[in-house]
Amino acid sequence: MTAGLLLAAGAGRRYGRPKALVELDGEPLVRRGVRLLRDGGCAPVHVVLGAGADEVPDLPGTVPVRHDRWPDGLGSSLLRGLASLPAQVPAVVVVLVDQPLLSPVAVRRVRQAYAGGAVVAVATYAGRPGHPILLDRRTWPMLGGYAVGDRGARDLLRDRSDLVVEVPCDDVGSPVDVDTPADLFRLVNDGSASGAAPHW
């Protein structure tokens, strides 16, 4: 069993509204993120919600995780999400709500790396680490000193590169962030939002 964890708590200040609520192809990004994890074979799927949580549409079959300290940053959302997972979950795939061109294929690839013995499996694009990231439960206690402010697992992965297996995913999606309305406009108008297969 590999759980899925969608971090969707931020206020989206640069965007002007919580990015969980932003729609692409008529679908809120939070629902696309859930679909990404499910199609990638993750269960259970937990969704960390903060800003705009009361406006988030129903997400059947998921576990919503309310995070009132979301202003503390991405790191606190990651720790809150990990703490919410059942004790029997051995590993989790983490994704962010504002990367709508990630692919379920990438989720499956990091899960396959875990099945092959990886403690941490990180999708890479053009040789650079991105999401999804799979974290074995053994690494979760290590994150306390790293997941601070807007930093998640990145610094831990740098310091413990011996634990990391890189999983090339250039051919199945893109880690592009949707930080502003202009970013979303570019995705829609260059055709990548509907042309990439399959994505969240």
Side-chain angles (χ1 to χ4, degrees):
M1 177 173 62
T2 305
L5 181 60
L6 175 63
L7 303 184
R13 291 184 181 88
R14 291 177 60 194
Y15 199 96
R17 61 185 302 210
K19 285 183 275 186
L21 306 176
V22 172
E23 292 191 358
L24 179 57
D25 293 342
E27 183 179 32
L29 294 188
V30 67
R31 281 189 175 161
R32 295 172 73 93
V34 167
R35 178 158 52 85
L36 165 73
L37 291 166
R38 283 183 175 159
D39 290 353
C42 295
V45 174
H46 286 212
V47 182
V48 181
L49 301 172
D54 294 335
E55 302 173 60
V56 171
D58 288 340
L59 303 169
T62 70
V63 178
V65 179
R66 189 71 174 250
H67 182 42
D68 293 333
R69 294 181 57 190
W70 63 264
D72 291 348
L74 173 69
S76 70
S77 292
L78 174 60
L79 295 178
R80 176 73 178 95
L82 293 175
S84 75
L85 294 168
Q88 67 269 27
V89 168
V92 63
V93 175
V94 181
V95 295
L96 308 179
V97 77
D98 64 353
Q99 295 183 329
L101 298 186
L102 296 184
S103 167
V105 178
V107 175
R108 289 194 287 271
R109 286 183 182 176
V110 297
R111 291 181 56 239
Q112 288 166 359
Y114 174 66
V119 177
V120 177
V122 180
T124 63
Y125 305 86
R128 300 181 63 181
H131 287 83
I133 297 174
L134 183 143
L135 300 167
D136 182 277
R137 180 177 281 274
R138 289 171 288 175
T139 68
W140 302 357
M142 303 178 192
L143 285 165
Y146 290 95
V148 177
D150 284 324
R151 293 180 176 272
R154 179 179 61 188
D155 292 344
L156 171 65
L157 306 187
R158 179 198 64 207
D159 290 351
R160 292 302 309 269
S161 59
D162 56 305
L163 300 178
V164 178
V165 172
E166 295 186 347
V167 182
C169 292
D170 307 75
D171 59 323
V172 295
S174 167
V176 63
D177 293 332
V178 175
D179 286 330
T180 67
D183 294 336
L184 185 67
F185 180 84
R186 280 191 293 271
L187 285 186
V188 171
N189 286 277
D190 70 10
S192 54
S194 57
H199 61 272
W200 55 300

